[in-house]
């Protein structure tokens, strides 16, 4: 098993960057997912729409303590083109998607960590909370 050094950088899909996001819901639309997040002090929902999703996982934040301890940059909204999860995906797919410019997006929030492998740009919007 090879060891991959995670290469996460801050990802700011919207300015100003939201703080203290909590999970509202995730909708899987067959190849696209919508993640709805909210700020504690605001009445808006941040919607992150990922198209061309090849893989994703949702894990309780407490169950990821090893990853968070090992790599403190793995918090908040981050992206990587070289990560353990992306490496796992390429091994499992027998490297058939190596030339697709896939990225590992991570959406860390108060409730959980959502990891997404996608190559398409992410659509970001705010919606009034109903």
């Amino acid at each position: 098993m090879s060891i991959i050094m995670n290469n996460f950088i801050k990802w700011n899909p919207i300015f100003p960057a939201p703080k203290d996001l909590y999970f509202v819901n995730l909708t899987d639309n067959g190849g696209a997912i919508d993640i709805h997040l909210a700020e504690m002090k605001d009445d808006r929902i941040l919607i992150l729409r990922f198209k061309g999703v090849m893989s994703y996982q949702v894990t309780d934040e407490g169950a990821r303590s090893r990853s968070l301890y090992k790599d403190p940059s793995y918090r908040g909204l981050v992206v990587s083109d070289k990560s353990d999860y992306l490496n796992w995906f390429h091994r499992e797919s027998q490297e058939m998607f190596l030339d697709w410019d896939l990225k590992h997006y991570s959406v860390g929030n108060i409730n959980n960590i959502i990891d997404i492998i996608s190559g398409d740009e992410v659509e970001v919007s705010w919606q009034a909370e109903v």
Side-chain angles (χ1 to χ4, degrees):
M1 182 168 120
S2 65
I3 305 241
I4 297 293
M5 177 58 109
N6 290 316
N7 183 26
F8 291 108
I9 58 170
K10 282 287 182 204
W11 173 56
N12 295 318
I14 197 160
F15 187 81
K19 295 182 185 342
D20 298 328
L21 292 170
Y22 67 92
F23 180 75
V24 176
N25 68 31
L26 182 147
T27 306
D28 185 331
N29 298 309
I33 61 171
D34 291 350
I35 300 171
H36 293 217
L37 304 161
E39 286 185 296
M40 293 296 226
K41 65 178 180 358
D42 208 342
D43 60 352
R44 301 180 300 171
I45 301 290
L46 178 64
I47 301 171
L48 304 173
R49 174 167 289 153
F50 293 85
K51 296 179 180 177
V53 173
M54 301 299 288
S55 179
Y56 74 91
Q57 63 184 11
V58 180
T59 310
D60 182 273
E61 185 182 35
R64 298 296 298 272
S65 58
R66 179 175 175 246
S67 295
L68 292 169
Y69 177 75
K70 181 175 119 181
D71 191 347
S73 69
Y74 191 45
R75 293 183 183 276
L77 302 176
V78 295
V79 64
S80 176
D81 59 2
K82 191 173 204 169
S83 72
D84 294 330
Y85 185 44
L86 202 49
N87 188 48
W88 168 85
F89 175 80
H90 286 308
R91 280 193 328 268
E92 287 295 311
S93 66
Q94 297 185 33
E95 300 182 348
M96 70 171 63
F97 302 105
L98 276 176
D99 60 345
W100 280 34
D101 193 31
L102 297 174
K103 291 183 177 34
H104 171 187
Y105 294 90
S106 181
V107 178
N109 55 78
I110 292 170
N111 312 81
N112 55 41
I113 296 174
I114 306 167
D115 295 290
I116 305 105
I117 294 177
S118 176
D120 291 340
E121 290 295 316
V122 181
E123 294 176 16
V124 181
S125 61
W126 284 106
Q127 168 185 306
E129 192 169 16
V130 289

